[in-house]
């Protein structure tokens, strides 16, 4: 199967969920391939028919004429029926519910209703073997849930999808955007002046109602408490024990929501659950104890979600005590892994992809362009003393325009970290430059000499040249990251290639490779003793996908034969751990 390059989407990198999924599209010639024809089967009124599935063409799934008593939510029969359409893809089992879900899920972070590619991507995902969708009430101020609800609603109306075949996961915890209207009449903490956090029952009840409305469904299959550890950070810092007590109280409320039918189960998302020495770290074992102490029903607690990638792999590693993955397996909790393509390494954020819109061969030209841009900006900065007067105000304004020197002084440090460079440019340099240009133009408008027009022209020229410099510098940062990630991809593939059963190549791009490692890790560690990871695993990897063309590599990675042997997974993660 040919591979298609992917582009990676960004998210809140410190605690977010992350990254890229790839959906597949087939041409007529591929229909002769047995793997393709078996993947693209559809069930129509109990019969099996081979379907042509071209990009943009939807396999038709006629829902059963007799609906189950669980209409409006995921069911075992519905998810198994969906999995049966894709026999060459690996699916996992949610232990406490029996749902069968794809081992790669659609991550809804940064998905918006005003972006048609996002709609097309989700539609394509559902057509090609992805039947678990993860989102949150606060993603894009609710627009993520709105788009997901719109897409699945349209497909159900067109009889292209059964609601019973789809597992919907959403979360509540953050209070931001249109929901941020203090004071709040429930237990909460202020994280910053524009964001609060709560897992109070009153807040959860309110948020659930909004999520059901946006998703346009009767029932959410798994409703997550989002990052309860955030209650330890903010204006009112709750103690660790108080947070566990709040989790127990929230669990009791969510049990009532299960009884009422608005959710089918509930879970917990945490960015620190896997790392015992992390700031605001919370323990899964202590959360379970708090839930039991509160009298909540552990049968309704079906899933946990946490970040995992080749560098942040503590969930896989045992250090004298059972690992998080082992604990989840023993507690029969389904595991959702997010942020596989965004790692926090040595205090820096690293995008794990070699698809950055640049090539290593471009580096010499980028360096030439950067030199030319620095020279153009320096020339303009040398001209401004001749255009302003000698008053204190003139001199103060003139002294602001040393941005070329500021960037030059930080060039080496920033070029090694794409995210730090972009954040510094977008949040410090650009706003400050904009304010300085306003001051200069105000000065020009008050100048009665012939230099007024020259100052206006200088401001326009400087703005253009300096922004060209910034864009060229960011391109250099991308090339630097590309070279580093290409080396990482080759090293990981080299570590894996010694095993005869490892389906990897030294030419494999980094993004699908690290997702393959994450998917293989959770499939091995979530499978009970003597089980088969390809059929009995209880976990999946959530990868952000916002365009249909990102699909084929991930669907390829979902094939049953692409799971890496456990020895290879351990070797790769040990190597990455040593580098971090």
């Amino acid at each position: 199967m040919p591979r298609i390059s992917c582009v990676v989407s960004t998210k809140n990198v410190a605690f977010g969920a992350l990254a890229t999924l790839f959906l597949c599209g087939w041409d007529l010639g591929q229909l002769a391939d047995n793997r393709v024809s078996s993947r693209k089967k559809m069930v129509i009124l109990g019969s099996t028919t081979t379907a042509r599935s071209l990009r943009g063409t939807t396999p038709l799934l006629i829902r059963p004429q007799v609906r189950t008593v669980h209409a409006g939510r995921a069911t075992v029969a519905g998810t198994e029926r969906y999995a049966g359409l894709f026999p060459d893809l690996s699916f996992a089992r949610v232990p406490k519910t029996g749902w069968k879900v794809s081992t790669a899920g659609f991550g809804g972070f940064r998905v918006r209703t005003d972006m048609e590619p996002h709609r097309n991507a989700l539609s394509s995902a559902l057509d090609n073997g992805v039947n678990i969708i993860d989102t949150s009430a606060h993603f894009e101020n609710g627009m993520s849930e709105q788009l997901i609800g719109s897409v699945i609603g349209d497909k159900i109306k067109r009889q292209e999808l059964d609601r019973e075949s789809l597992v919907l996961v959403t979360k509540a915890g953050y209070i931001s955007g249109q929901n941020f209207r203090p004071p709040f009449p429930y237990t909460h903490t202020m994280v910053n002046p524009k964001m609060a956090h709560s897992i109070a029952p009153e807040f959860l009840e309110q948020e659930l109602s909004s999520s059901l409305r946006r998703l346009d469904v009767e029932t959410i299959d798994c409703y997550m408490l989002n990052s309860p550890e955030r209650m330890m950070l903010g204006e009112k810092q709750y103690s660790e024990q108080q947070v566990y007590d709040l989790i127990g109280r929230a669990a009791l409320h969510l049990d009532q929501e299960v009884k009422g039918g608005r959710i089918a189960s509930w879970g917990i998302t945490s960015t620190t659950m896997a790392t015992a020495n992390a700031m605001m770290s919370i323990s899964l074992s202590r959360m379970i104890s708090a839930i039991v102490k509160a009298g909540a029903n552990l049968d309704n607690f079906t899933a946990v979600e946490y970040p995992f990638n080749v560098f942040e792999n503590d969930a896989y590693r045992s250090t004298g005590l059972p690992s998080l993955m082992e604990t989840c397996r023993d507690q029969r909790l389904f595991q959702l892994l997010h942020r596989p393509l965004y790692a926090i390494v040595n205090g820096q954020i690293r995008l794990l992809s070699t698809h950055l819109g640049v090539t290593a061969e471009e580096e010499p030209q980028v360096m030439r362009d950067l030199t030319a841009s620095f020279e153009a900006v320096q020339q303009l900065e040398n001209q401004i003393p001749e255009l302003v007067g000698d008053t204190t105000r003139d001199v103060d304004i003139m002294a602001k325009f040393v941005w070329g020197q500021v960037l030059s002084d930080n060039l080496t440090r920033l070029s090694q970290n794409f995210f730090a460079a972009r954040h510094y440019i977008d949040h410090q340099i650009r706003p400050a430059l904009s304010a300085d240009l306003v001051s200069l133009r105000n000065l020009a408008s008050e100048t009665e000499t012939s230099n007024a027009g020259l100052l206006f022209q200088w401001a326009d020229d400087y703005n253009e040249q300096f922004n060209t410099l910034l864009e060229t510098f960011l391109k250099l940062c991308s090339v630097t990251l590309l070279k580093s990630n290409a080396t990482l991809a080759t090293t990981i593939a080299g570590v894996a290639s010694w095993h005869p059963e490892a389906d990897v190549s030294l030419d494999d791009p980094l993004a699908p490779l690290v997702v393959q490692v994450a998917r293989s890790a959770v499939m091995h560690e979530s499978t009970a003793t003597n089980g088969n990871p390809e059929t009995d695993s209880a976990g999946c990897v959530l990868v952000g996908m916002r365009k249909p063309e990102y699909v084929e590599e991930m669907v390829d990675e979902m094939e049953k034969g692409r799971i890496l042997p456990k020895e290879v997974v351990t070797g790769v993660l040990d190597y990455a751990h040593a580098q971090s």
Side-chain angles (χ1 to χ4, degrees), residues 235-285:
E235 185 179 38
K236 180 176 181 180
Q237 296 182 0
Y238 290 81
S239 70
E240 186 176 354
Q241 184 56 54
Q242 286 175 319
V243 171
Y244 290 125
D245 292 342
L246 291 172
I247 291 172
R249 183 167 172 246
L252 279 175
H253 173 75
L254 293 178
D255 278 349
Q256 294 304 309
E257 295 288 6
V258 171
K259 290 180 181 179
R262 298 211 300 171
I263 64 175
S265 68
W266 51 268
I268 298 174
T269 298
S270 171
T271 58
T272 64
M273 188 189 304
T275 310
N277 60 354
M279 183 177 68
M280 305 180 301
S281 176
I282 56 175
S283 158
L284 175 59
S285 297

Side-chain angles (χ1 to χ4, degrees), residues 4 23-27 53-57 124 548-552:
I4 294 178
L23 301 182
C24 72
W26 305 99
D27 58 38
S53 182
L54 307 177
R55 182 167 293 158
T57 303
S124 183
E549 58 264 32
Y550 297 169
V551 182
E552 181 138 3

Side-chain angles (χ1 to χ4, degrees), residues 15-53:
F15 295 99
L18 211 131
T20 302
L21 244 192
F22 316 90
L23 301 182
C24 72
W26 305 99
D27 58 38
L28 289 171
Q30 288 177 303
L31 293 176
D33 188 320
N34 288 335
R35 292 190 306 159
V36 176
S37 60
S38 66
R39 178 181 294 173
K40 301 300 176 181
K41 289 181 180 178
M42 61 181 180
V43 178
I44 301 180
L45 300 180
S47 66
T48 303
T49 306
T50 300
R52 296 190 314 170
S53 182

Side-chain angles (χ1 to χ4, degrees), residues 52-109:
R52 296 190 314 170
S53 182
L54 307 177
R55 182 167 293 158
T57 303
T58 304
L60 184 63
L61 304 178
I62 302 297
R63 64 173 58 190
Q65 290 181 329
V66 179
R67 294 173 64 83
T68 71
V69 296
H70 298 293
R73 65 177 69 190
T75 66
V76 174
T79 56
E80 287 186 339
R81 185 168 57 248
Y82 180 90
L85 305 178
F86 308 95
D88 56 339
L89 300 186
S90 59
F91 282 76
R93 183 79 70 176
V94 180
K96 293 182 182 179
T97 66
W99 302 326
K100 203 167 186 179
V101 300
S102 51
T103 55
F106 184 97
F109 190 83

